[in-house]
Amino acid sequence: HDIIYMVDGVEYDRTEDVPYGTDLTGYLIAEPTKTGHTFSGWSPALPAAMPDEDVTISGTFAVNTHDIIYMVDGVEYDRTEDVPYGTDLTGYLIAEPTKTGHTFSGWSPALPATMPDEDVTISGTFTVNTHDIIYMVDGVEYDRTEDVPYGTDLTGYLIAEPTKTGHTFSGWSPALPAAMPDEDVTISGTFAVNTHDIIYMVDGV
């Protein structure tokens, strides 16, 4: 009789013309392999000796599943779990994260077209935004402190007030914020001309 091997309901192999009573030790064939799948193993076990009929044993393939892992600045940010091997990954990419005062690099590398037989890791980083502090005097740019990172403590950043002979400076307005916002900061001031009196004295009066 024959030993018939079925995989997913289809004949996979056959050992033919095994005599009744043959010791079947060592007769079991190797399990099949299939990329992206795991084999269940053969079932039921071969009998110890060949019976007076064909023997059929079966197995099935289960598709492997893996995760898509998203890392941000070296820390896991999100995870799409149990994606089957071979799945079309179009539309699987999650939205980029946001963080106040920072710009995201984008995800890298690109997702593969289909799910491979392993976890997929893609990564991105945040870069802090920088902006300028702009000083305007009488409507004209007087000075600029460039590339100040978002969130920087601005204590001590205010520049000295300008001077101009025969004039008095109004002071800077508005006050610098406590920390650098996610935009340029403009503060202004104006000069007012000084006025004085001409005094005429007669006989000391």
Side-chain angles (χ1 to χ4, degrees):
H1 296 283
D2 296 349
I3 304 171
I4 304 164
Y5 297 87
M6 304 292 290
V7 175
D8 291 332
V10 177
E11 184 174 322
Y12 168 75
D13 203 348
R14 180 184 289 252
T15 305
E16 297 181 324
D17 302 330
V18 181
Y20 169 78
T22 298
D23 180 353
L24 295 184
T25 303
Y27 266 70
L28 191 68
I29 67 171
E31 294 183 356
T33 59
K34 185 179 179 183
T35 302
H37 295 71
T38 298
F39 190 64
S40 63
W42 295 119
S43 179
L46 277 181
M50 191 66 188
D52 193 19
E53 61 185 358
D54 288 344
V55 172
T56 300
I57 59 175
S58 303
T60 56
F61 279 113
V63 65
N64 297 338
T65 63
H66 298 280
D67 297 348
I68 304 171
I69 304 164
Y70 297 87
M71 304 292 289
V72 175
D73 291 331
V75 177
E76 185 173 322
Y77 168 75
D78 203 348
R79 180 182 289 249
T80 304
E81 297 181 323
D82 301 331
V83 182
Y85 168 79
T87 297
D88 181 352
L89 295 184
T90 303
Y92 266 70
L93 192 68
I94 66 171
E96 295 183 356
T98 59
K99 185 178 179 183
T100 302
H102 294 72
T103 298
F104 190 63
S105 63
W107 295 119
S108 179
L111 276 182
T114 59
M115 192 67 187
D117 194 20
E118 61 185 357
D119 288 345
V120 172
T121 299
I122 60 176
S123 302
T125 56
F126 279 114
T127 303
V128 65
N129 298 337
T130 62
H131 297 282
D132 297 350
I133 303 171
I134 304 165
Y135 297 88
M136 304 292 290
V137 175
D138 291 332
V140 177
E141 185 173 323
Y142 168 76
D143 203 349
R144 181 183 288 250
T145 305
E146 297 182 324
D147 301 329
V148 182
Y150 168 80
T152 298
D153 181 351
L154 295 183
T155 303
Y157 266 70
L158 192 68
I159 66 171
E161 294 183 357
T163 58
K164 185 177 179 183
T165 302
H167 294 72
T168 299
F169 190 64
S170 62
W172 296 119
S173 179
L176 276 182
M180 191 67 187
D182 194 21
E183 61 185 357
D184 289 345
V185 172
T186 300
I187 59 176
S188 303
T190 56
F191 278 114
V193 66
N194 298 337
T195 61
H196 299 282
D197 297 346
I198 302 172
I199 304 166
Y200 297 88
M201 304 292 292
V202 176
D203 292 336
V205 178

